[in-house]
Amino acid sequence: MFKQFKKIFLVNFWHTGKAMIVLAIFATAYYGLMGSGWAVTGEMTKWGGEFLELFGADLSKYSYYKLDGTPLSRKAGVMLIGMFIGAFVAALLANKVKIRFPASKIRVFQAIIGGILTGFGARLAYGCNLANFFTGLPYFSLHTWFFTISMIAGIYVAVKLLNIEFFKPKAKLLRLATGKGQGLKIDKKRAKRHFIFGIVIFILFLGWFFYMFINAPELNVKNTKSMLPIALLFGFIFGFIISRGQICFTSCFRDMFLFGRTIAIKGAIIGMIISCILVYAFVLNGHSVKLIEISLGVIIGGFLFGFGIVFAGGCECGWTYRAFEGQVHFMIVGIANFIGTMVLALSYDAIPSFIKSGVKINMLETFGSFGGLVLNLALFGVMGFLAYIYQRDFFKNRSF
């Protein structure tokens, strides 16, 4: 029985579409308990600033940097650490951890440039594919739809660009057998060894969680310290799900444009619809909605982000689980992503105000409580319909 459970839930990849739905439900539960949505690049920006401070940088004159506490004292910081641990444990349990280097120099170039554009664009738009798309669209701030449209445009342009021969890695055939009867050497004990490592790290994680939980004040959403263990637990769950479901939001639209495959985007849309209804219930019970201005910054940032995630090969979720699987390319993407947030934060004050300024629109206030819900759900319906039409025409216009 355990072997079957291990194979289905810990070793085999999960259905991406179903994993998207489960992830959306947990993300909404996170919002309901924590009072804020699941987001990562804001915290990554703070980590970048704290890294600069280690080398004596004075960040007080930069308005974008608002550093408070440490990663271990912030809910988002602890959540992000938990997310990294969850992705690593999932990779170990499934025996997916192995150092793999980029296939070509052009891939390294793409990792650096794409990663920087992704980090820069996400922070110019005040959010990535999480805060402005997957967990953003259900939260009734109209700016998220402007970001999404711009992101899709960036993804489409990058897909077309990467189809140019220059950006296609040159495959090389290597002769692996060097003698009679000698071929690939397989470490049959590695899976067992990695599984044990994963269990050990998971136990250590549980020890940290229960230590924080026991020593935390009574749960109160206004008391950050009391919410840290909950943030840690949710982070672990997020990381574990994205690793087992191989969730990378880059693939939602890239795979549709390239292969006519809509498993990821359909799962994401269904998940966001469920989340939208649940968030609506939370809002009716007093939860607040984070609003961002509809501005050129959101549109430009969305485009750069969409272009960057395809050029680099992965979004924040994608590079996270792949980096912890040992893929060096995505380790580079992750580092470049942090650098991109630093570039934006350090140059933000020089960006003209007409790019950054705009108007905040809460759909529930502007279109009425019920009207805002219906409009948001209708927009999800339009997105799903367009995905269906694109997939239908994609295969209709091709002969196999």
Side-chain angles (χ1 to χ4, degrees), residues 30-75:
Y30 181 83
Y31 165 72
L33 289 170
M34 308 298 287
S36 59
W38 175 31
V40 296
T41 54
E43 182 62 23
M44 289 179 180
T45 305
K46 292 184 178 182
W47 286 18
E50 287 159 348
F51 176 79
L52 292 175
E53 285 187 331
L54 289 177
F55 294 91
D58 179 13
L59 303 181
S60 60
K61 58 184 178 181
Y62 298 101
S63 64
Y64 204 96
Y65 278 123
K66 298 176 182 178
L67 304 180
D68 55 318
T70 69
L72 293 176
S73 65
R74 294 189 295 264
K75 290 184 290 187

Side-chain angles (χ1 to χ4, degrees), residues 102-111:
S104 64
K105 293 180 180 179
I106 192 65
R107 291 288 286 155
V108 175
F109 170 77
Q110 289 175 225

Side-chain angles (χ1 to χ4, degrees), residues 330-341:
F330 291 99
M331 296 178 190
I332 298 172
V333 173
I335 294 171
N337 202 303
F338 277 94
I339 293 174
T341 67

Side-chain angles (χ1 to χ4, degrees), residues 25-176:
I25 293 172
F26 273 106
T28 310
Y30 181 83
Y31 165 72
L33 289 170
M34 308 298 287
S36 59
W38 175 31
V40 296
T41 54
E43 182 62 23
M44 289 179 180
T45 305
K46 292 184 178 182
W47 286 18
E50 287 159 348
F51 176 79
L52 292 175
E53 285 187 331
L54 289 177
F55 294 91
D58 179 13
L59 303 181
S60 60
K61 58 184 178 181
Y62 298 101
S63 64
Y64 204 96
Y65 278 123
K66 298 176 182 178
L67 304 180
D68 55 318
T70 69
L72 293 176
S73 65
R74 294 189 295 264
K75 290 184 290 187
V78 171
M79 184 278 297
L80 189 56
I81 293 171
M83 186 171 152
F84 290 162
I85 296 173
F88 188 43
V89 168
L92 283 171
L93 295 178
N95 190 28
K96 301 300 180 184
V97 178
K98 183 180 179 181
I99 295 298
R100 285 157 282 181
F101 292 94
S104 64
K105 293 180 180 179
I106 192 65
R107 291 288 286 155
V108 175
F109 170 77
Q110 289 175 225
I112 295 172
I113 300 302
I116 291 174
L117 288 176
T118 298
F120 185 94
R123 295 324 303 161
L124 180 60
Y126 283 101
C128 62
N129 51 277
L130 294 179
N132 280 341
F133 175 61
F134 188 62
T135 64
L137 291 180
Y139 290 75
F140 302 105
S141 178
L142 191 58
H143 86 279
T144 56
W145 285 102
F146 284 83
F147 173 90
T148 299
I149 293 170
S150 303
M151 178 185 70
I152 296 172
I155 290 172
Y156 184 80
V157 171
V159 167
K160 294 300 181 182
L161 178 65
L162 291 180
N163 267 328
I164 298 174
E165 194 65 28
F166 175 77
F167 290 107
K168 294 180 179 179
K170 305 298 183 292
K172 294 181 181 179
L173 293 175
L174 299 176
R175 184 179 180 181
L176 296 176

